[in-house]
Amino acid sequence: MRKRIFSGAQPTGELHLGNYLGALKNWVALQTEYESFYCIVNLHAITLPQDPATLRQKTLDLARIYLAAGVDPERSTIFIQSDVPEHAELAWVLNCVARMGELERMTQFKDKGKGEERASVGLFTYPVLMASDILLYQTDLVPVGQDQKQHLELTRDLAERFNRDFGETFVVPDPYIPPVGAAIMSLKEPEKKMSKSDENLNSTIFLLDDADTITKKYKKAVTDSGTEITFDGSRPAISNLLTIYHLLSGKPTKDCEAHFEGKGYGDFKSELAEVTIEFLKPFQERVREYDDDSLEAILKSGAEKASAVASETLKNVYQSMGIR
Ligand code: ATP
Ligand code: LTN
């Protein structure tokens, strides 16, 4: 049997280069080898306040993005999390397996909840819903960016604990975090990751940004002191821009450094803008190709395929726990 992949993204805003290079790109590459499930995790989105009409729209928009990026509905199962109620059901069960202490150690909760009393309980148990997403499909591999590593460790711990206490039920999944591109950083604050919720829009290149916007954002991007355009951990801003150039141009890292030897930051930024615009052009054309009806048909068939696997796993879980 082919090994399985599961991954997902939240319909909370527009996807950006970080989401693409850290995750989506690998979903597309791996779908030929693995049986793949790619989910739009709208139940995760409501851990923070969302406007209902916007959430509904963003959910469909994200499905379009998956398709335009190259996720092939003939090979991969694309579906919306809330269309498969087993995700929420298994999350309840795993909430009873997870411990307060281990969730309190999750750094994303600390970042997004900002230590506030009013942070939702859903935000606190968010990693448990994520573990449910993954474990429902008996997933072998989870392609994600670096920021999700801790959540994957929790998922593995929950699977192992459940298997130990109730008998072999879940496959224990491995993360797939790409060697380059797993943490694309903000253009304005290179010590922070590029994020769709960054208040400063100049920090983030969105996949649907037009040519002019892309050029302007790179122009405003911070650089490091010095003049060299090389990969160098002590110069995070230039290394980040060069990583983006390397991944989008497909040129080996040494060739990128050689290409920019003796050139200034201004030239580098214009070339980086050109490469980005060229790279995104066909993607942006494809996004417009999918009308709502064809999209709904893909999502309906995706939900049916996903449900068949998810219901089988949940049945086994309930059975081993004595839940009727
Ligand atoms: P954001 O902070 O942009 O809202 P997120 O992690 O909350 O990001 P998702 O859209 O759910 O949002 O993330 C989808 C995938 O993109 C995940 O696998 C995540 O690890 C990856 N990812 C997010 N930001 C980056 C980044 N800056 N660099 C590389 N990968 C990233
Ligand atoms: N938590 C992830 C999104 C996510 C996910 C998943 C990723 C929810 N469920 C299952 C991989 C597998 C995020 O915020 N990026």
Side-chain angles (χ1 to χ4, degrees), residues 165-197:
D165 292 349
F166 299 104
E168 276 306 310
T169 308
F170 295 122
V171 169
V172 180
D174 285 313
Y176 176 87
I177 297 174
V180 188
I184 299 295
M185 308 311 275
S186 150
L187 302 186
K188 297 303 280 180
E189 294 167 90
E191 62 289 351
K192 274 180 25 187
K193 73 162 195 153
M194 187 177 278
S195 165
K196 42 177 137 77
S197 46

Side-chain angles (χ1 to χ4, degrees), residues 6-10 41 44 108 126 130 133-134 142 144 148 151:
F6 184 97
S7 199
Q10 301 189 69
V41 294
H44 277 99
Q108 188 173 331
Y126 172 118
M130 176 163 164
D133 297 341
I134 296 167
V142 187
V144 283
Q148 297 302 314
H151 290 162

Side-chain angles (χ1 to χ4, degrees), residues 7 27 31 36-40 59-60 62-68 70-81 83-84 290 295-306:
S7 199
W27 301 4
Q31 69 182 340
S36 307
F37 291 82
Y38 297 125
C39 186
I40 294 146
T59 303
L60 282 187
L62 188 53
R64 268 191 195 92
I65 299 268
Y66 286 9
L67 292 163
V71 176
D72 176 358
E74 300 287 318
R75 289 180 186 278
S76 300
T77 303
I78 304 174
F79 71 104
I80 298 174
Q81 191 183 29
D83 283 347
V84 182
Y290 296 92
L295 214 54
E296 292 290 0
I298 290 170
L299 292 170
K300 182 164 179 275
S301 120
E304 282 163 7
K305 282 191 227 153

Side-chain angles (χ1 to χ4, degrees), residues 283-324:
F283 165 81
Q284 295 182 350
E285 280 161 13
R286 279 197 301 273
V287 167
R288 289 188 279 272
E289 273 173 23
Y290 296 92
D291 59 79
D292 283 2
D293 286 347
S294 50
L295 214 54
E296 292 290 0
I298 290 170
L299 292 170
K300 182 164 179 275
S301 120
E304 282 163 7
K305 282 191 227 153
S307 288
V309 182
S311 59
E312 184 64 25
T313 305
L314 189 68
K315 195 175 82 189
N316 292 339
V317 167
Y318 278 169
Q319 210 151 39
S320 32
M321 296 182 94
I323 303 272
R324 45 183 280 165

